[in-house]
Amino acid sequence: MFEKFVNEKTDNEFTVLNSLPELSRESIIRSSVSEFSKNYLLVSEDQDSLKEKLKESLSRSNKLYLNYTLRPKWTLITYLFGSFESRPPADLLKKIECFPFYKFYTDSIKDFIGVNAPIFVTKTEVTSVIDNTNRAIYDKLTSGINNVKIKNFFLQIFLYKYENESDYSLESFLPYSFIKIFLEDKSYYDLEEKFGALKNLSGETDISLKDIIKVLTDKITPGDKAEFKPVEETPVSEIIPEEKPDIIIIKETVKQKAEEKIIPEKIYSEELIKADKDKAVETELTQEKPSGTALNIKGLFGERHLNKINDRIYGSDMISMEKSFEKLNSYRTWNEASKHLKEIFLNNSVDIYSKEVISFVNILNDYFKRTE
C-alpha cells in the first residue's frame, strides 16, 4: 500500500521533470512536482549529476515525503541524527530546509538553536522540542474540538493524496493506517483509541474525513457503530531504500489474528553502518557511574581514539587535554559538560565536522544522558 503511493508519485514526477528541455534550479521550481520534491532536489541532491539519477532522487524524495507526512517526529529525529546522538547545528539547519510543511516543528528547532547557540545539538534536545510542540498542538486541538480544527489537523495527510486543498472535503478518504500512524507518532493514544468505536476497521480500510470528525467529536457510540467492509489482506511489502545515507523506509502492517502490528523501521546506509562500527571499535562506554566517585573520562575511549582527540581537539597538547578531562570528570550533567566543550572548541578552532570530534561528543553525550 505505502509502496504504491510512493511509486505513483515518483513515476508522475519523473515524467514531468524528464520532459523538461533542461533540468535547472529555475525549471524545477516552476514545475508541477510537489513542493517537497522541489525542496529535496534543490537542498539534498547533487545538482551536477541530478539528470542522470533523477528517478532515484525522486524515489528518495517521495519515501521521505511519505514518512514525514505520517510520522513527522520519527522522521525528523531519524533524518537529522541517523545513528548519532548529536550533530552540529549548521548541519541540522541545512537538513530541515528540505521540509516545506509542519513548520511548527522546524521553526521550533530553529528557535532552540538560535536561543541556545549550542556547539552541538543532541537528539534528546530536539526530541524534547518536538514533544513540547506536540503537547501544545494537542491542547489547541482538544480544547473546544470542532470540525474545522480536525480538518486542519489532518490537512497535510489528505493533501498527500489529493494534492489540492480544493479537493479536500468531508467525503475525502484515506486508509485508516495513515491516521493511526499519524496519531501514534504524536503519542495521541487517547485519540487513537476513539476509533475502536468503528466496526471492522483495519489499517487498510478507507475512512472519510466525515467519519473521522464523528469519531473525534464523540458522535459515534458503541450502540451505533459505523460498519466497514473487511478488506482482503495483502502481502507484507517493504519500500527498499537505496544505499544512500539517511533514507527512511516505512513498512506496511501485517495482521496477526484480529490485531495489527507495525513492523519496526530500520535505516540502511553504508555511512551509518560504518559509523556504528567505528563507534563500537573506538568506544567502551562505562555502564554505570560509580557512586560518590568521579569517572575517569579516559576510560570511555580507546588509546587510538584518545590520540586523535588530542590531535583534533586539544592541538596535540596533552597537558591541556588532561586538564579538560579533569573538569569533565567533575561534571554531573551534559549541560555542564557541553558548556565546557563549547569553550574548548571555540578557543582551539576545532573542526566540529571531523569524524573524531563527532564521535567524541556523541560518546560523552551518551554517557551523561544515561547517568544524570
Side-chain angles (χ1 to χ4, degrees), residues 68 76-77 80 89 92-93 96-97 99 101-118 121-122 125-137 140:
Y68 185 59
L76 279 171
I77 296 300
L80 296 179
L92 302 188
L93 291 173
I96 60 178
E97 286 303 313
F99 299 107
F101 54 89
Y102 297 152
K103 289 293 187 180
F104 35 79
Y105 293 127
T106 55
D107 285 349
S108 295
I109 295 171
K110 290 178 182 178
D111 290 344
F112 172 81
I113 292 174
V115 170
N116 295 279
V121 181
T122 69
E125 290 169 334
V126 171
T127 299
S128 178
V129 168
I130 295 175
D131 286 341
N132 289 336
T133 303
N134 279 334
R135 282 191 285 270
I137 294 171
K140 290 182 179 180

Side-chain angles (χ1 to χ4, degrees), residues 123-256:
K123 184 186 297 185
T124 301
E125 290 169 334
V126 171
T127 299
S128 178
V129 168
I130 295 175
D131 286 341
N132 289 336
T133 303
N134 279 334
R135 282 191 285 270
I137 294 171
Y138 179 87
D139 291 341
K140 290 182 179 180
L141 174 65
T142 57
S143 177
I145 192 168
N146 56 42
N147 295 12
V148 174
K149 285 185 177 182
I150 294 171
K151 184 177 181 181
N152 290 336
F153 179 63
F154 291 107
L155 172 64
Q156 200 60 54
I157 302 180
F158 279 89
L159 286 183
Y160 182 82
K161 175 182 178 182
Y162 290 94
E163 296 185 355
N164 297 314
E165 193 168 347
S166 59
D167 298 327
Y168 177 37
S169 68
L170 291 174
E171 302 303 322
S172 300
F173 60 88
L174 286 173
Y176 170 60
S177 60
F178 281 36
I179 307 301
K180 178 181 175 67
I181 292 170
F182 186 65
L183 294 175
E184 288 181 344
D185 181 74
K186 290 175 165 52
S187 300
Y188 295 175
Y189 300 112
D190 58 328
L191 300 184
E192 181 198 341
E193 289 173 359
K194 287 177 178 284
F195 288 88
L198 299 178
K199 189 176 181 180
N200 296 329
L201 184 64
S202 72
E204 296 178 2
T205 306
D206 285 332
I207 184 170
S208 68
L209 175 62
K210 178 173 61 178
D211 284 328
I212 293 172
I213 291 173
K214 287 181 179 180
V215 169
L216 295 182
T217 56
D218 298 316
K219 299 293 175 61
I220 291 179
T221 62
D224 61 347
K225 291 180 180 178
E227 294 201 20
F228 294 85
K229 293 181 179 180
V231 295
E232 294 184 4
E233 295 186 10
T234 57
V236 175
S237 65
E238 176 183 346
I239 298 176
I240 307 295
E242 293 80 2
E243 286 298 328
K244 184 177 176 68
D246 305 323
I247 298 304
I248 301 170
I249 65 171
I250 185 168
K251 289 188 177 181
E252 294 196 35
T253 57
V254 58
K255 301 193 179 65
Q256 296 183 341

Side-chain angles (χ1 to χ4, degrees), residues 284-339:
E284 295 180 358
L285 289 174
T286 302
Q287 296 300 310
E288 187 173 345
K289 200 170 194 176
S291 176
T293 62
L295 169 76
N296 181 2
I297 292 296
K298 277 189 175 181
L300 296 175
F301 308 97
E303 183 178 352
R304 183 165 63 93
H305 199 178
L306 279 174
N307 290 334
K308 290 183 177 180
I309 289 170
N310 186 34
D311 178 55
R312 302 281 187 177
I313 299 175
Y314 298 97
S316 299
D317 186 341
M318 186 63 71
I319 295 177
S320 177
M321 185 176 76
E322 292 290 346
K323 289 181 178 179
S324 175
F325 278 17
E326 286 178 8
K327 289 185 178 181
L328 290 170
N329 283 335
S330 68
Y331 298 142
R332 288 294 179 268
T333 69
W334 170 245
N335 185 50
E336 293 175 309
S338 63
K339 288 180 180 178

Side-chain angles (χ1 to χ4, degrees), residues 13 17 24-25 28-47 50 57-58 60-62 64-65 68 79 93-103 106 110:
E13 293 186 340
L17 294 182
S24 64
R25 180 180 182 86
I28 292 174
I29 292 174
R30 290 196 303 268
S31 73
S32 60
V33 301
S34 70
E35 289 301 310
F36 194 98
S37 286
K38 290 178 184 178
N39 278 21
Y40 182 84
L41 294 178
L42 296 176
V43 172
S44 304
E45 292 292 309
D46 179 11
Q47 301 302 297
L50 183 57
S57 297
L58 286 170
R60 286 192 289 269
S61 172
N62 281 296
L64 187 60
Y65 183 9
Y68 185 59
Y79 184 75
L93 291 173
K94 179 182 178 181
K95 281 191 169 187
I96 60 178
E97 286 303 313
C98 75
F99 299 107
F101 54 89
Y102 297 152
K103 289 293 187 180
T106 55
K110 290 178 182 178

